[in-house]
Amino acid sequence: MKRGIAALLVLSSVGLAQPICATTKTILVLGDSLSQGFGLAPSEAYPMLLAKKLRAAGLNFRVINASAAGGSTEGGLERLPAHLKRKIDIFILELGINDAFRGVPVDQIQNNLQEIIDKVKTRNPQMRVVIAGMQLPNYTTDDYVYAFGKMFADLAARNGAALVPYLLQSVAGDPSLNLSDGIHPNAAGQKVLAETVWYVLEPVAREVASREKLESH
Protein backbone atom coordinates (compact mmCIF):
# COMPACT_ATOMS: atom_id res chain seq x y z
CA MET A 1 0.00 0.00 0.00
CA LYS A 2 2.80 2.38 0.96
CA ARG A 3 4.55 1.61 -2.33
CA GLY A 4 1.33 2.37 -4.22
CA ILE A 5 0.95 5.72 -2.47
CA ALA A 6 4.60 6.55 -3.11
CA ALA A 7 4.17 5.71 -6.79
CA LEU A 8 1.11 7.96 -7.00
CA LEU A 9 3.02 10.79 -5.35
CA VAL A 10 5.87 10.42 -7.84
CA LEU A 11 3.45 10.41 -10.79
CA SER A 12 1.65 13.43 -9.36
CA SER A 13 4.86 15.38 -8.90
CA VAL A 14 5.95 14.52 -12.46
CA GLY A 15 2.61 15.72 -13.78
CA LEU A 16 2.89 18.96 -11.84
CA ALA A 17 6.43 19.52 -13.10
CA GLN A 18 5.52 19.24 -16.77
CA PRO A 19 4.04 22.75 -17.22
CA ILE A 20 7.12 24.25 -15.54
CA CYS A 21 9.52 22.31 -17.77
CA ALA A 22 7.52 23.31 -20.84
CA THR A 23 8.23 26.99 -20.16
CA THR A 24 11.93 26.53 -19.50
CA LYS A 25 14.03 28.43 -22.03
CA THR A 26 17.37 27.16 -23.32
CA ILE A 27 20.68 28.98 -23.59
CA LEU A 28 23.35 27.25 -25.68
CA VAL A 29 26.98 28.25 -25.17
CA LEU A 30 29.31 27.27 -28.02
CA GLY A 31 32.87 28.12 -27.14
CA ASP A 32 36.41 26.96 -26.54
CA SER A 33 38.44 26.25 -23.40
CA LEU A 34 37.59 29.67 -21.91
CA SER A 35 33.90 28.75 -21.81
CA GLN A 36 34.53 25.08 -21.08
CA GLY A 37 36.38 26.03 -17.89
CA PHE A 38 39.73 24.44 -18.74
CA GLY A 39 41.34 22.81 -15.71
CA LEU A 40 38.28 23.36 -13.53
CA ALA A 41 35.16 21.49 -12.52
CA PRO A 42 32.28 22.04 -14.99
CA SER A 43 30.32 23.84 -12.27
CA GLU A 44 33.10 26.44 -11.97
CA ALA A 45 32.93 27.53 -15.61
CA TYR A 46 31.12 30.81 -16.25
CA PRO A 47 28.20 29.23 -18.20
CA MET A 48 27.18 27.25 -15.12
CA LEU A 49 27.69 30.32 -12.94
CA LEU A 50 25.31 32.14 -15.29
CA ALA A 51 22.76 29.37 -14.70
CA LYS A 52 22.87 30.18 -10.98
CA LYS A 53 22.46 33.89 -11.67
CA LEU A 54 19.46 33.22 -13.89
CA ARG A 55 17.79 31.12 -11.19
CA ALA A 56 18.51 33.76 -8.55
CA ALA A 57 16.93 36.38 -10.82
CA GLY A 58 13.80 34.26 -11.19
CA LEU A 59 14.47 33.59 -14.88
CA ASN A 60 13.56 30.08 -16.00
CA PHE A 61 16.47 29.13 -18.26
CA ARG A 62 18.65 26.07 -18.54
CA VAL A 63 22.21 26.54 -19.77
CA ILE A 64 23.83 23.95 -22.03
CA ASN A 65 27.58 24.34 -22.26
CA ALA A 66 28.68 22.90 -25.61
CA SER A 67 32.20 24.28 -25.37
CA ALA A 68 35.37 22.27 -26.00
CA ALA A 69 39.03 22.90 -25.24
CA GLY A 70 40.94 23.82 -28.37
CA GLY A 71 37.70 24.72 -30.11
CA SER A 72 37.99 26.52 -33.44
CA THR A 73 35.34 28.03 -35.70
CA GLU A 74 35.59 25.05 -38.04
CA GLY A 75 35.28 22.71 -35.10
CA GLY A 76 32.24 24.66 -33.93
CA LEU A 77 30.60 24.13 -37.29
CA GLU A 78 31.29 20.40 -37.04
CA ARG A 79 29.93 20.12 -33.49
CA LEU A 80 26.89 22.31 -34.06
CA PRO A 81 24.42 19.88 -35.75
CA ALA A 82 24.14 17.72 -32.63
CA HIS A 83 22.85 20.76 -30.72
CA LEU A 84 20.32 21.91 -33.31
CA LYS A 85 17.87 19.16 -32.42
CA ARG A 86 16.59 21.22 -29.49
CA LYS A 87 14.99 24.66 -29.44
CA ILE A 88 17.47 27.41 -28.59
CA ASP A 89 16.26 30.71 -27.17
CA ILE A 90 19.59 32.43 -26.54
CA PHE A 91 22.84 31.50 -28.26
CA ILE A 92 26.16 32.58 -26.72
CA LEU A 93 28.98 32.29 -29.28
CA GLU A 94 32.57 32.37 -28.04
CA LEU A 95 34.95 31.15 -30.72
CA GLY A 96 37.76 32.53 -32.85
CA ILE A 97 40.77 33.05 -30.61
CA ASN A 98 42.27 29.63 -31.39
CA ASP A 99 41.88 30.34 -35.11
CA ALA A 100 43.78 33.60 -34.61
CA PHE A 101 46.59 31.85 -32.73
CA ARG A 102 46.95 29.59 -35.77
CA GLY A 103 47.04 32.54 -38.16
CA VAL A 104 43.73 31.81 -39.88
CA PRO A 105 42.72 34.87 -41.99
CA VAL A 106 40.23 37.09 -40.19
CA ASP A 107 37.81 36.96 -43.14
CA GLN A 108 37.72 33.18 -42.87
CA ILE A 109 37.14 33.30 -39.12
CA GLN A 110 34.31 35.78 -39.61
CA ASN A 111 32.72 33.72 -42.37
CA ASN A 112 32.77 30.63 -40.17
CA LEU A 113 31.20 32.50 -37.26
CA GLN A 114 28.52 33.91 -39.55
CA GLU A 115 27.78 30.44 -40.87
CA ILE A 116 27.37 29.16 -37.31
CA ILE A 117 24.95 31.97 -36.50
CA ASP A 118 23.02 31.40 -39.73
CA LYS A 119 22.62 27.69 -39.05
CA VAL A 120 21.31 28.28 -35.52
CA LYS A 121 18.97 31.07 -36.67
CA THR A 122 17.55 28.92 -39.47
CA ARG A 123 16.34 26.45 -36.87
CA ASN A 124 15.46 29.11 -34.28
CA PRO A 125 14.27 32.29 -36.05
CA GLN A 126 13.25 34.06 -32.81
CA MET A 127 16.54 33.28 -31.08
CA ARG A 128 18.69 36.04 -29.57
CA VAL A 129 22.45 35.95 -30.06
CA VAL A 130 25.16 37.05 -27.64
CA ILE A 131 28.66 37.30 -29.09
CA ALA A 132 31.60 37.08 -26.71
CA GLY A 133 34.39 39.16 -28.20
CA MET A 134 38.08 38.51 -27.79
CA GLN A 135 41.28 40.48 -28.32
CA LEU A 136 44.76 39.40 -29.30
CA PRO A 137 47.94 40.23 -27.43
CA ASN A 138 50.02 42.68 -29.43
CA TYR A 139 52.65 40.24 -30.59
CA THR A 140 51.24 39.82 -34.08
CA THR A 141 51.01 42.44 -36.81
CA ASP A 142 48.95 45.46 -35.87
CA ASP A 143 46.62 45.09 -38.88
CA TYR A 144 45.68 41.53 -37.92
CA VAL A 145 45.17 42.47 -34.25
CA TYR A 146 42.90 45.37 -35.21
CA ALA A 147 40.90 43.37 -37.76
CA PHE A 148 40.40 40.49 -35.33
CA GLY A 149 39.19 42.73 -32.51
CA LYS A 150 36.85 44.65 -34.82
CA MET A 151 35.37 41.45 -36.27
CA PHE A 152 33.18 40.70 -33.24
CA ALA A 153 31.54 44.14 -33.24
CA ASP A 154 30.91 43.82 -36.97
CA LEU A 155 29.27 40.42 -36.48
CA ALA A 156 27.10 41.75 -33.66
CA ALA A 157 25.95 44.71 -35.77
CA ARG A 158 25.20 42.52 -38.78
CA ASN A 159 23.16 40.03 -36.77
CA GLY A 160 21.43 42.31 -34.29
CA ALA A 161 23.31 40.50 -31.55
CA ALA A 162 24.27 41.63 -28.07
CA LEU A 163 28.03 42.04 -27.69
CA VAL A 164 30.40 41.29 -24.84
CA PRO A 165 33.24 43.52 -26.08
CA TYR A 166 36.01 41.52 -24.38
CA LEU A 167 35.31 38.30 -22.49
CA LEU A 168 38.58 38.44 -20.54
CA GLN A 169 38.15 42.04 -19.40
CA SER A 170 39.86 42.53 -16.01
CA VAL A 171 41.09 38.90 -16.10
CA ALA A 172 43.74 38.70 -18.84
CA GLY A 173 47.21 39.26 -17.50
CA ASP A 174 46.24 39.03 -13.82
CA PRO A 175 48.13 36.11 -12.22
CA SER A 176 45.64 35.93 -9.35
CA LEU A 177 42.77 35.25 -11.77
CA ASN A 178 44.48 32.74 -14.06
CA LEU A 179 45.88 29.23 -13.87
CA SER A 180 49.64 28.76 -13.84
CA ASP A 181 49.67 28.76 -17.67
CA GLY A 182 48.75 32.44 -17.57
CA ILE A 183 46.11 31.89 -20.26
CA HIS A 184 43.09 30.18 -18.74
CA PRO A 185 41.03 31.76 -15.94
CA ASN A 186 41.00 29.99 -12.59
CA ALA A 187 37.82 29.64 -10.52
CA ALA A 188 38.07 33.26 -9.34
CA GLY A 189 38.67 34.40 -12.91
CA GLN A 190 35.63 32.50 -14.14
CA LYS A 191 33.51 34.38 -11.61
CA VAL A 192 34.70 37.64 -13.18
CA LEU A 193 33.86 36.27 -16.65
CA ALA A 194 30.38 35.41 -15.39
CA GLU A 195 29.86 39.00 -14.21
CA THR A 196 31.12 40.35 -17.54
CA VAL A 197 28.74 38.17 -19.54
CA TRP A 198 25.85 38.61 -17.12
CA TYR A 199 25.93 42.38 -17.62
CA VAL A 200 25.06 41.78 -21.29
CA LEU A 201 22.99 38.61 -20.91
CA GLU A 202 20.57 39.70 -18.17
CA PRO A 203 18.61 42.25 -20.25
CA VAL A 204 18.49 39.81 -23.17
CA ALA A 205 17.19 37.01 -20.93
CA ARG A 206 14.56 39.30 -19.41
CA GLU A 207 13.44 40.35 -22.87
CA VAL A 208 13.11 36.73 -24.01
CA ALA A 209 11.22 35.80 -20.83
CA SER A 210 8.81 38.76 -21.13
CA ARG A 211 8.23 38.02 -24.81
CA GLU A 212 6.96 34.56 -23.85
CA LYS A 213 4.58 36.06 -21.29
CA LEU A 214 3.15 38.42 -23.93
CA GLU A 215 2.73 35.58 -26.43
CA SER A 216 0.95 33.40 -23.87
CA HIS A 217 -1.72 36.05 -23.18
Side-chain angles (χ1 to χ4, degrees):
M1 186 68 174
K2 288 182 179 178
R3 286 182 181 178
I5 293 171
L8 284 172
L9 288 172
V10 169
L11 287 171
S12 299
S13 61
V14 169
L16 288 170
Q18 283 176 347
I20 299 172
C21 293
T23 62
T24 301
K25 299 292 188 182
T26 297
I27 298 175
L28 177 69
V29 184
L30 187 68
D32 50 37
S33 57
L34 298 175
S35 298
Q36 179 217 23
F38 179 82
L40 304 172
S43 60
E44 294 177 303
Y46 80 80
M48 293 303 101
L49 299 179
L50 290 174
K52 291 181 180 179
K53 287 181 174 294
L54 289 158
R55 284 196 296 272
L59 295 167
N60 194 10
F61 286 82
R62 63 172 176 169
V63 178
I64 297 171
N65 191 0
S67 304
S72 65
T73 56
E74 281 192 5
L77 277 167
E78 292 172 0
R79 292 188 286 115
L80 187 60
H83 300 287
L84 294 180
K85 297 172 184 176
R86 61 170 62 87
K87 184 175 182 292
I88 299 168
D89 299 284
I90 300 176
F91 179 46
I92 301 177
L93 180 58
E94 183 273 306
L95 286 171
I97 192 66
N98 287 323
D99 298 64
F101 285 146
R102 296 164 191 157
V104 177
V106 172
D107 285 349
Q108 186 177 333
I109 300 172
Q110 185 164 345
N111 289 340
N112 287 345
L113 290 171
Q114 185 62 57
E115 188 175 350
I116 289 171
I117 294 170
D118 290 344
K119 286 180 180 296
V120 182
K121 273 194 170 181
T122 297
R123 296 293 296 270
N124 304 274
Q126 300 299 315
M127 172 200 70
R128 289 297 310 275
V129 179
V130 176
I131 294 175
M134 284 294 296
Q135 296 175 12
L136 276 170
N138 292 319
Y139 58 69
T140 56
T141 61
D142 289 342
D143 287 347
Y144 190 94
V145 170
Y146 174 77
F148 180 78
K150 182 174 178 291
M151 172 188 70
F152 297 101
D154 290 346
L155 277 168
R158 180 189 300 177
N159 293 281
L163 175 68
V164 178
Y166 183 32
L167 178 64
L168 295 180
Q169 183 68 42
S170 303
V171 174
D174 186 338
S176 68
L177 296 176
N178 287 277
L179 300 176
S180 58
D181 62 13
I183 298 173
H184 296 97
N186 57 24
Q190 286 284 343
K191 289 180 181 178
V192 178
L193 266 59
E195 293 294 340
T196 299
V197 178
W198 178 244
Y199 179 78
V200 175
L201 176 65
E202 182 185 12
V204 175
R206 291 193 182 280
E207 177 191 322
V208 170
S210 63
R211 183 175 66 200
E212 183 197 16
K213 288 180 182 177
L214 288 172
E215 291 172 352
S216 64
H217 285 82

